[in-house]
Amino acid sequence: MPIIPHDRGVAGRKPYSRTMAASSRTATGEATTDRTARRLRAVPPTVFSEMSALAVRTGSINLGQGFPDVDGPPSVIEAAVRALRTGRNQYAPGPGVPELRTAVAAHQARHYGLDLDPATEVVVTAGATEGIAASVLALVDPGAEVVVLEPFYDSYQACIEMAGGVRRPVTLRAPDFRLDAAALRAAVTPRTTTILLNTPHNPTGAVLTREELEAVAAVATEHDLVVVTDEVYEHLVFDGRRHVPLCTLPGMWERTVTLSSAGKTFSFTGWKVGWATGPADLVRTVTAAKQWLTFSNAAPLQPAVAYALDHESAFYDALAVELQGRRDLLVAGLRELDLDVYLPEATYFVATDVRRYGHADARAFCLALPERAGVVAIPSQAFYDDQVEGRHLVRWAFCKEPALIEQGVERLLAADLHA
Ligand code: PMP
Ligand code: GLN
């Protein structure tokens, strides 16, 4: 049955036409029509689905997609069950249930000395993923430029494309992946409206220092930019370092949207409960987009996340210590291989360079890895516009049980990984 687009004939809009769809040919020469809208054609499918499917298909150890293999606190699961059993199953208010917004504000006060109004300065999102999408769609006009740290989390690319914005990457380079303040400054043009920051940083594991954040703040204030800062790994920081939220720097509160999520902090990545905080005008703007994306999300999980924020800070303190040990385990193992290994300061991930194995292309290396070693990792090209800079880098996840990491390392050590 033909699909009739409902906007056909609406005044002022171009009617749908076949000529708008891109035509191409398959490998066998058959003509196909790609009906994907232009705004999505430039965006490849997410590498995480591809690599996790590869792990399942080949029975490999998945050191690719970042999710823990052990769930978060049982008390939080019980809080979710209580919510499910006590009638919290209809739509939550669009901006989130009051107890979660209050718990987020209390968390920001406890950890960072911030004084947020839960009613106007917090909005709950469907994971940080929706926080990113809503922020970018709400703040970036077509043609506007967005400065991003490269490598960038893959959804940044997709969301900027969907908004019609233009990426201006500032590359963090191995071995330390520090922010080059001059490069940041040079990336800003008269068309720049937004900086999309990420600290602690996925996939490099870098934690921006106060000096680096000051450089961001100086550029943002000088050019009157809004900063959207993705801080989902705020608690998963190692070696006594501390995460500093950009919004706590002088002059930054009024121009910063801060994103975080229960996924990483409480090891419930499948719950997709996140939040955006900031001044009321920016939170209102983000909510304006969020209301048309999901309206509201995860009603019974929101009170459980409020419970977690109020009662389970010991969980993420202990998780950071555990993850540091797992980082050390995986890094030691990878260092026995012929890889350059870059020690991460935070997150779930460690980056490596695979060139000493004769691989110029990390994607080819990762696609061969399941068959050669029964292990899956993520090629970092997916996070780069600059295909030269990212071509030889591979990201490995250590948010797994130590025995699994050990088994993964043993498999890698036993395999021939040379090109
Ligand atoms: N930002 C970064 C940097 C991430 O690594 C992830 C994955 N947790 C997300 C955003 C998405 O977070 P969520 O699962 O809460 O949507
Ligand atoms: N944030 C996780 C990672 O970087 C995965 C999230 C996802 O699968 N989209 O691996």
Side-chain angles (χ1 to χ4, degrees), residues 94-119:
V97 301
E99 69 250 56
L100 178 52
R101 283 187 280 158
T102 301
V104 169
H107 168 275
Q108 299 304 91
R110 241 182 2 258
H111 286 283
Y112 309 122
L114 294 162
D115 181 17
L116 271 65
D117 176 355

Side-chain angles (χ1 to χ4, degrees), residues 46 48-49 64-67 129 153-154 202 233 264 349 395:
T46 174
F48 300 119
S49 301
Q65 190 179 23
F67 60 91
T129 304
Y153 182 58
D154 69 346
N202 177 7
Y233 298 98
K264 300 291 145 81
F349 309 113
R395 191 196 80 172

Side-chain angles (χ1 to χ4, degrees), residues 75-88:
S75 66
V76 179
I77 294 179
E78 285 312 311
V81 170
R82 266 197 311 280
L84 282 163
R85 292 210 164 119
T86 54
R88 308 294 298 266

Side-chain angles (χ1 to χ4, degrees), residues 56-78:
V56 170
R57 207 163 57 240
T58 58
S60 295
I61 293 176
N62 190 351
L63 303 182
Q65 190 179 23
F67 60 91
D69 46 8
V70 175
D71 285 346
S75 66
V76 179
I77 294 179
E78 285 312 311

Side-chain angles (χ1 to χ4, degrees), residues 124-139:
V124 176
T125 56
T129 304
E130 191 193 34
I132 296 159
S135 301
V136 171
L137 290 170
L139 291 164

Side-chain angles (χ1 to χ4, degrees), residues 66 126-130 132 153 156 198 200 202 230 232-233 260-264 269 272-274 349:
T129 304
E130 191 193 34
I132 296 159
Y153 182 58
Y156 302 175
N198 173 213
N202 177 7
D230 174 348
V232 298
Y233 298 98
S260 195
S261 162
K264 300 291 145 81
T269 59
K272 302 296 277 188
V273 176
F349 309 113

Side-chain angles (χ1 to χ4, degrees), residues 290-378:
K290 187 243 147 63
Q291 70 184 323
W292 301 118
L293 293 173
T294 53
F295 174 63
S296 77
N297 60 287
L301 302 181
Q302 291 193 27
V305 173
Y307 176 90
L309 287 168
D310 288 340
H311 297 95
E312 286 288 359
S313 64
F315 176 81
Y316 49 77
D317 289 342
L319 179 60
V321 174
E322 265 174 41
L323 280 171
Q324 182 178 322
R326 293 170 193 195
R327 171 201 66 177
D328 293 343
L329 191 62
L330 182 57
V331 163
L334 293 174
R335 284 197 168 140
E336 283 186 54
L337 297 164
D338 211 4
L339 294 168
D340 289 312
V341 182
Y342 306 118
L343 189 74
E345 300 170 336
T347 76
Y348 283 175
F349 309 113
V350 52
T352 61
D353 183 332
V354 294
R355 276 178 294 188
R356 281 205 261 136
Y357 275 111
H359 290 274
D361 183 348
R363 191 172 159 78
F365 175 89
C366 288
L367 288 175
L369 205 54
E371 197 179 312
R372 289 180 177 202
V375 173
V376 158
I378 300 284

